[in-house]
Amino acid sequence: MIFQTIITGLSIGSIYALMAVGYSLVFSVLNFSNFAHGAVITLGAYIAWALMVSVFKMSFFPALLLSMLGAGIIAFFVERIAYSTLRHRRAPSLFLMISAMGVAIALQNVLYATVGANLYALPPIFTQDTFSIGAATISRMDIFAFVFSVIAIALLTIVLNYTKVGTAIRAASYDSEMVSVLGVNLDVLVAVLFLLAGSLGGMAGVFMGIKYMVYPSMGWITNKAYIGAVIGGLGSLPGAIVGGILLGLLESLVSVTVIGSVHLSTFRDVFSFGILVLLLVFRPTGLFGRHVEEKL
Amino acid sequence: MLLRVEDLNVYYGEAVHALRNVSFEVQEGEILSIIGANGAGKSTLMWTLIGQLKPRSGKITFRGEVMKPVPHAVVSAGMALVPERRRLFPNLTVRENLMMGAYLRGDRGAVQKDLEYIFSLFPILKERLNQYAGTLSGGQQQMVATARGLMSRPKLLLMDEPSLGLAPILVNQIFETIQEISRQGTTILLVEQNAKKSLAIAHRAYVLEVGCIVRTGTGQELLNDPAVQAAYLGVSQHKEVILEGKEPC
Ligand SMILES: Nc1ncnc2c1ncn2[C@@H]1O[C@H](COP(=O)(O)OP(=O)(O)O)[C@@H](O)[C@H]1O
Ligand SMILES: [Mg+2]
């Protein structure tokens, strides 16, 4: 039972981490919370639905890759349209955040107006999803989502640590003005940033769509990922990973806990948002952010 | 002429007119010093030259081409900035900081050769390559900042107060290094509050006061100029000459 809970927790936690990493990447360089990230993730799931169900009958892997690419490109255009002018004018980060919220609302409503409010299912990856280890029933999809999230995050870490553009992103998280006068075209750097954040978000969207459903407001789940990012320390990459996974684990443990006759699962979201409030009050820099300026 | 600056006017907002009709030239191969007190506009000038600050008016011509205020274009044209207070990336290793300086260059082999040149200037950096830049001493950080500027193989190296905050012995070292870099063929535009030392190594120099160029000459001429001595070299008898009744520009 506990084993099963941990697997579920790791799975949802790693999906949180995929999304949280996107928040942290953008925050680390541009210093604002990109609340349009949830809408990008939703669109990633819809792309997968179009590719696998409604328009084409693609198989899972090509559909996953194309959905990631699509979400990355959408994130790029969101930046071009909604943030880049503000950025060039050196607007306060609050302005960018408000612009992001506007984009989120707009994209969600475009979905309602075009595709509608229906819930769609994505085809399962495994025909027989569960298997047993002893008394525990394990979902193959959970393991799959965990493994692929870990691989994706590992690849991102390699890009950030061992490529030129990755090094520039880490440098820019500290001092983007200096990065610019060393000859780095900041517009290109930010484009790469949003492509990376968007495509990881697209992956998360596809996994969410398979695990649950595809619907216009599914991006709400990114609030949880955001909490994960805050737990780890906004802007810190290891923080986003650890924070996301930790939150997933805690949630799934809380969900199966019963005290007396009270099932704590009904309080799961209260619990998550409670953590957010407590953290913002007592440790706004999270687990990994020692100083506000120490990022990535 | 390597660099020609004509009638440059730079503002911060509407209220602060930081550079007023600044004009000067840098010749190939020289060390050009611009001295000025705190707030004179030296850093503003540097950040305008590198393209990060947009001038309201004026013209910057570098190697025969008019420069637009676009940093990556200016850097590819051959300028590099070693900024005031070094501005290293403390979360990157020394090697990564140096590589950031070589960002626009594709030739890996030549970059390796430049590292050798850097080590000939600053042998200690060879041992520090894999250390985080934030853990270095102030003197070593200044070395990394200078080296990072050199990694793009600039024709013109802009150095903003390299001696600021360094112990006297390190100050002497950094001025010797500047002369060595110059001998190796890089033209240097040096702005400093440390007037005495920077005039001593300069081929030519300008004095910048509240946004205006007020004097020019060879380094030696300015060292012997009573007004400069009074205002910048701590020779007290002629203080009123430059500090009083000055009408900017
Ligand atoms: N970001 C800024 N906003 C407004 N005023 C500034 C800014 N930076 C510098 N200044 C002003 O511009 C003038 C020149 O500053 P600066 O170029 O830093 O001088 P220096 O480098 O010679 O000490 C000063 O009066 C300073 O207060
Ligand atoms: Mg200055």
Side-chain angles (χ1 to χ4, degrees):
Chain A
M1 183 60 185
I2 186 76
F3 184 57
Q4 193 174 321
T5 308
I6 287 173
I7 298 282
T8 313
L10 281 178
S11 164
I12 186 70
S14 63
I15 297 176
Y16 287 163
L18 271 183
M19 306 187 217
V21 158
Y23 277 113
S24 270
L25 269 179
V26 171
F27 189 90
S28 73
V29 175
L30 298 179
N31 262 308
F32 80 104
S33 298
N34 175 22
F35 286 123
H37 197 45
V40 170
I41 286 166
T42 306
L43 287 171
Y46 272 93
I47 293 173
W49 171 72
L51 293 173
M52 290 200 281
V53 183
S54 83
V55 186
F56 305 102
K57 303 283 177 254
M58 252 183 218
S59 57
F60 174 74
F61 277 107
L64 174 66
L65 288 179
L66 286 176
S67 304
M68 290 174 71
L69 184 67
I73 290 171
I74 290 167
F76 163 79
F77 277 112
V78 167
E79 197 284 320
R80 289 273 91 191
I81 293 163
Y83 311 146
S84 68
T85 10
L86 289 170
R87 213 161 36 77
H88 291 153
R89 285 189 208 156
R90 292 168 204 189
S93 35
L94 183 65
F95 289 25
L96 288 146
M97 200 169 89
I98 292 168
S99 185
M101 289 173 170
V103 169
I105 294 168
L107 288 179
Q108 195 176 329
N109 281 290
V110 165
L111 278 174
Y112 278 122
T114 54
V115 198
N118 290 346
L119 278 74
Y120 298 104
L122 291 182
I125 306 173
F126 303 101
T127 40
Q128 171 64 44
D129 189 52
T130 55
F131 64 96
S132 303
I133 299 179
T137 312
I138 310 291
S139 154
R140 286 195 167 87
M141 174 60 204
D142 278 350
I143 302 221
F144 183 89
F146 177 70
V147 169
F148 272 80
S149 303
V150 168
I151 291 174
I153 291 172
L155 285 177
L156 173 73
T157 313
I158 289 171
V159 168
L160 288 177
N161 283 311
Y162 300 106
T163 68
K164 215 157 142 176
V165 72
T167 308
I169 288 175
R170 284 183 294 134
S173 77
Y174 213 90
D175 186 345
S176 58
E177 188 177 53
M178 193 60 223
V179 167
S180 161
V181 299
L182 288 175
V184 180
N185 185 339
L186 277 189
D187 284 334
V188 174
L189 195 76
V190 169
V192 171
L193 202 63
F194 276 84
L195 272 171
L196 288 172
S199 53
L200 291 187
M203 184 181 221
V206 175
F207 287 162
M208 295 300 300
I210 293 175
K211 217 168 143 59
Y212 306 111
M213 283 280 171
V214 179
Y215 51 98
S217 61
M218 68 182 282
W220 186 87
I221 194 76
T222 49
N223 287 326
K224 298 295 191 56
Y226 185 72
I227 296 173
V230 174
I231 291 176
L234 254 186
S236 154
L237 197 68
I241 299 165
V242 172
I245 291 181
L246 204 60
L247 185 68
L249 274 176
L250 287 173
E251 277 193 357
S252 79
L253 288 172
V254 166
S255 298
V256 297
T257 307
V258 181
I259 299 175
S261 60
V262 183
H263 289 263
L264 287 190
S265 58
T266 28
F267 295 99
R268 197 188 62 192
D269 290 352
V270 176
F271 170 80
S272 303
F273 284 94
I275 291 184
L276 178 64
V277 170
L278 287 179
L279 260 173
L280 289 178
V281 172
F282 293 108
R283 197 174 163 81
T285 52
L287 298 175
F288 283 70
R290 238 174 301 156
H291 310 289
V292 183
E293 67 272 8
E294 188 171 298
K295 293 175 296 185
L296 265 185
Chain B
M1 197 62 55
L2 187 64
L3 176 76
R4 170 174 282 132
V5 174
E6 292 162 89
D7 294 321
L8 203 60
N9 282 284
V10 180
Y11 287 75
Y12 291 103
E14 287 304 314
V16 184
H17 192 173
L19 294 179
R20 301 160 188 259
N21 296 312
V22 166
S23 299
F24 65 96
E25 293 167 348
V26 183
Q27 282 158 22
E28 185 129 26
E30 71 179 347
I31 298 178
L32 183 92
S33 286
I34 297 181
I35 60 168
N38 199 8
K42 303 182 297 299
S43 298
T44 304
L45 175 62
M46 298 305 241
W47 287 86
T48 307
L49 290 177
I50 202 72
Q52 187 73 14
L53 288 177
K54 291 177 184 41
R56 183 161 301 179
S57 63
K59 192 163 138 195
I60 299 168
T61 315
F62 180 55
R63 302 171 84 186
E65 280 179 48
V66 178
M67 292 287 112
K68 290 200 207 72
V70 178
H72 55 95
V74 176
V75 174
S76 3
M79 263 192 243
L81 171 66
V82 180
E84 186 179 321
R85 300 192 183 280
R86 335 198 209 294
R87 305 267 296 254
L88 294 183
F89 307 111
N91 55 332
L92 266 53
T93 63
V94 169
R95 182 194 297 276
E96 288 171 333
N97 269 278
L98 296 180
M99 285 309 161
M100 284 304 299
Y103 193 84
L104 283 179
R105 297 182 42 200
D107 41 348
R108 281 192 131 221
V111 169
Q112 198 53 45
K113 232 175 88 186
D114 289 359
L115 274 181
E116 297 302 321
Y117 169 46
I118 298 299
F119 297 147
S120 74
L121 291 172
F122 310 111
I124 184 79
L125 292 189
K126 198 165 188 167
E127 299 160 28
R128 298 278 184 270
L129 269 186
N130 296 316
Q131 213 165 311
Y132 283 101
T135 65
L136 300 181
S137 69
Q140 290 170 355
Q141 291 199 11
Q142 184 60 48
M143 293 178 195
V144 178
T146 308
R148 182 180 63 182
L150 288 170
M151 286 302 287
S152 66
R153 282 210 188 170
K155 281 276 167 298
L156 175 64
L157 188 66
L158 310 173
M159 301 191 76
D160 193 350
E161 306 220 30
S163 76
L164 194 70
L166 296 184
I169 179 161
L170 295 173
V171 171
N172 288 335
Q173 266 177 29
I174 194 80
F175 279 101
E176 275 166 31
T177 310
I178 292 168
Q179 286 178 293
E180 177 58 24
I181 295 169
S182 166
R183 278 194 293 273
Q184 298 291 332
T186 308
T187 308
I188 289 170
L189 170 50
L190 171 68
V191 304
E192 265 287 353
Q193 281 187 62
N194 188 332
K196 197 172 182 178
K197 290 229 158 50
S198 63
L199 289 179
I201 66 164
H203 300 105
R204 292 187 315 115
Y206 292 87
V207 180
L208 186 66
E209 265 182 27
V210 282
C212 306
I213 299 269
V214 294
R215 261 189 176 62
T216 180
T218 66
Q220 207 53 48
E221 280 166 3
L222 290 189
L223 272 176
N224 297 330
D225 184 323
V228 173
Q229 288 181 346
Y232 299 99
L233 301 171
V235 184
S236 59
Q237 59 269 32
H238 297 298
K239 215 159 198 131
E240 67 285 356
V241 180
I242 221 167
L243 291 181
E244 275 179 21
K246 72 185 164 230
E247 181 60 41
C249 310

